[in-house]
Amino acid sequence: MNDLYCLSFSPKKPMNISEKLYNATYEMWVNVWRDSYKYFGWDPKSVCSDQWVRQDLVLGFYQGNTPIGAAFFDEKNLRAPLFYDDSFFRMWPKNLLEEISRWPSSDKALICTNFTIAPDFRKKTSGTDYKAILHGLSLKQFVDMGNPFMIGTTVKKSMSDISVVNAAHLLKENVEEKGLIVDLLYWKREEMKDFRFPKYHDQIETIWNANARDYRRAA
């Protein structure tokens, strides 16, 4: 795993990533999500580049010059009334959103979305659970960004299970969107600062602390 590394960058102003790697990461993301939409019977054309560009930060995970996966991060002010119309919250009950909006520092809530693993790096193909590693790196990124809490919408089983193992708190389970069952979760930054990941902890720490630390902070 010596050639594995992660890199955080602004998709709007990618100052710390090469154009080639930036484009390869985008192509990996958009192709995976369009294929997923086809699989679930949704319109793949609804996966558009503006979903990429509007994020505050993208965390890329790489083997050499090959993207393994990515995750998106976006800070939202949950005290602003307009957030009820945000597409991310389309499956979230209004009473739950009202409750979260009263949490301390809800004006700086971090949202993690679009967790993506390239087909060649899925466990059935590669034999390595890169999803677990990227999930851990994403939580390290959350802690590094300093937001007091992070929320997510996770697909039942495939993402919910690993999220709960990695200290997620369940807000509401078994919410349906177009036939897909998801859970609504959140993490507390204070609980994640010294968290020990049940799987690949040493590898996650090594990848996070090596290679691109200065680049991540520059994003």
Side-chain angles (χ1 to χ4, degrees):
M1 292 193 175
N2 292 334
D3 57 346
L4 300 180
Y5 65 98
C6 62
L7 180 64
S8 301
F9 57 90
S10 165
K12 300 173 186 177
K13 298 179 180 180
M15 304 295 292
N16 59 316
I17 184 173
S18 70
E19 182 178 359
K20 183 177 180 179
L21 194 60
Y22 179 93
N23 290 336
T25 311
Y26 170 76
E27 290 298 326
M28 180 276 298
W29 166 77
V30 76
N31 289 333
V32 166
W33 280 88
R34 285 176 177 168
D35 286 345
S36 296
Y37 271 47
K38 289 178 186 177
Y39 176 82
F40 289 113
W42 306 347
D43 181 8
K45 293 181 180 179
S46 63
V47 180
C48 303
S49 62
D50 62 315
Q51 295 164 249
W52 165 278
V53 176
R54 71 179 178 227
Q55 305 301 319
D56 287 330
L57 184 129
V58 172
L59 173 66
F61 180 30
Y62 305 94
Q63 183 178 61
N65 292 319
T66 303
I68 295 172
F72 292 1
F73 295 85
D74 186 29
E75 182 180 292
K76 296 183 185 294
N77 179 3
L78 302 190
R79 295 177 185 170
L82 59 83
F83 91 89
Y84 290 104
D85 295 327
D86 191 300
S87 61
F88 174 80
F89 294 110
R90 61 192 178 275
M91 300 99 71
W92 290 63
K94 188 174 181 180
N95 64 329
L96 179 57
L97 293 176
E98 290 173 343
E99 177 187 340
I100 296 173
S101 72
R102 293 190 290 270
W103 290 2
S105 302
S106 62
D107 57 330
K108 295 181 179 180
L110 190 64
I111 313 297
C112 185
T113 63
N114 284 261
F115 190 95
T116 311
I117 294 290
D120 289 346
F121 290 94
R122 291 172 187 168
K123 190 174 181 180
K124 289 183 179 179
T125 304
S126 68
T128 299
D129 194 350
Y130 289 105
K131 179 174 74 172
I133 299 174
L134 177 58
H135 198 274
L137 293 171
S138 298
L139 289 168
K140 298 291 286 185
Q141 181 68 71
F142 157 50
V143 172
D144 195 61
M145 293 177 75
N147 301 74
F149 67 91
M150 181 174 75
I151 59 181
T153 302
T154 57
V155 176
K156 194 72 176 181
K157 286 298 189 183
S158 66
M159 285 303 300
S160 292
D161 285 358
I162 189 173
S163 296
V164 171
V165 166
N166 284 345
H169 296 268
L170 183 65
L171 289 167
K172 187 174 179 59
E173 62 180 338
N174 299 325
V175 178
E176 183 177 351
E177 182 190 24
K178 300 179 182 178
L180 184 67
I181 305 300
V182 301
D183 290 335
L184 313 180
L185 309 169
Y186 81 102
W187 289 261
K188 298 177 181 179
R189 182 173 183 267
E190 287 299 317
E191 294 179 351
M192 300 309 303
K193 284 182 178 180
D194 300 312
F195 183 76
R196 185 168 184 86
F197 298 99
K199 294 181 65 176
Y200 296 103
H201 179 82
D202 291 342
Q203 291 92 332
I204 292 166
E205 291 290 329
T206 297
I207 294 167
W208 178 255
N209 290 318
N211 301 306
R213 186 65 175 176
D214 291 340
Y215 291 127
R216 284 201 304 269
R217 287 200 175 279

